[in-house]
Amino acid sequence: MDNYIFITGATSGFGEAIARIFAKHNWNLILTGRREERLEKLKNDLKASSNYIHTLCFDVRNEKDVIHAISSLPVEVKQNIRILINNAGLALGRDSIENGVSSDWDQMIDTNVKGLLYVSKAVIPFLIQAKSGHIVNISSIAGKEVYALGNVYCASKHAVDALSKSMRIELLPHNIKVTNIAPGAADTEFSLVRFKGNAETADATYKGFEPLIAQDIADAVFFACTTPKHVCINDLVIMPTAQANATTFVKR
């Protein structure tokens, strides 16, 4: 049976672009997300390219739902998962800690950290059983550096960075690769979500320079996942040409 790639947060941005590039190369897809109508639309868009597409609608923050959804997959599908893309994540708000909204903190930590853990815990046993596989964790430059008013988001992505390093060590004896990818400024739904639907503020984030787009990250993920068996890209930071680090840009 052909191999499968399992993608969280596949309904937009990086996740959708990753699904499209792997479908283009005839991979079987397991697409997950919270928005069922978007999952079905993506499935319909890609069904001509991929032999098998299975959608699972759940929120990674709910461990019971994660376990139930993954358990519902046919045994022969679970046993042939070879790539896990931990992409589901978000930022909410830009506030100093004393002005922070605790519900925003909960959602970021529950999604970016605990959600990644719940999905990984459920999928890793199939990779171990196969003695082969690859996990790609989508982090952020915020997982390498901190910036003002990004406190909890930065903390959550630093956790992703640390978990990626831990996974790499722990899964090394099982022949499982782990790659951490840390994008800089990327024009996806990220800022629209962070600023809670304020399109004007979100759009202003990318004015004056050319940001990354979702396809740029998808290309990098595909490259990392198709290196020779003896090669593992542990860590990859990807920036727009106009960005040097988390806070240094040239805007014209």
Side-chain angles (χ1 to χ4, degrees), residues 115-128:
L116 181 150
L117 287 168
Y118 296 154
V119 173
S120 298
K121 182 179 180 181
V123 172
I124 284 173
F126 304 116
L127 304 182
I128 291 176

Side-chain angles (χ1 to χ4, degrees), residues 24-190:
K24 182 180 176 181
H25 289 85
N26 301 119
W27 272 74
N28 294 313
L29 308 176
I30 304 167
L31 307 177
T32 80
R34 294 179 294 111
R35 294 172 287 191
E36 189 167 10
E37 69 286 353
R38 287 202 182 189
L39 282 174
E40 290 306 312
K41 182 181 184 303
L42 183 58
K43 180 178 180 178
N44 289 332
D45 287 349
L46 300 181
K47 63 185 179 183
S49 302
S50 182
N51 296 325
Y52 177 98
I53 303 175
H54 194 93
T55 59
L56 298 173
C57 187
F58 63 86
D59 189 331
V60 297
R61 294 178 294 171
N62 188 313
E63 185 176 14
K64 289 183 179 179
D65 287 352
V66 170
I67 294 170
H68 176 76
I70 294 173
S71 297
S72 73
L73 291 168
V75 173
E76 63 272 17
V77 171
K78 290 184 285 192
Q79 291 177 342
N80 285 281
I81 296 172
R82 291 296 178 270
I83 299 175
L84 166 61
I85 310 293
N86 280 314
N87 167 71
L90 78 166
L92 284 174
R94 287 198 67 170
D95 301 290
S96 57
I97 289 175
E98 72 275 15
N99 294 318
V101 179
S102 58
S103 59
D104 289 349
W105 298 350
D106 289 342
Q107 190 168 348
M108 284 186 282
I109 293 169
D110 289 349
T111 303
N112 300 353
V113 183
K114 293 165 70 176
L116 181 150
L117 287 168
Y118 296 154
V119 173
S120 298
K121 182 179 180 181
V123 172
I124 284 173
F126 304 116
L127 304 182
I128 291 176
Q129 184 180 24
K131 299 180 182 178
S132 175
H134 198 149
I135 298 172
V136 178
N137 294 327
I138 304 297
S139 181
S140 168
I141 187 57
K144 306 289 185 181
E145 308 169 27
V146 297
Y147 52 84
L149 309 182
N151 38 68
V152 175
Y153 176 67
C154 291
S156 72
K157 288 300 186 178
H158 271 67
V160 173
D161 190 84
L163 287 169
S164 297
K165 293 172 182 174
S166 298
M167 287 181 179
R168 179 77 175 111
I169 295 168
E170 293 170 5
L171 296 174
L172 191 64
H174 302 289
N175 192 38
I176 297 169
K177 300 180 184 184
V178 179
T179 299
N180 183 80
I181 293 186
D187 189 1
T188 63
E189 290 184 357
F190 175 85

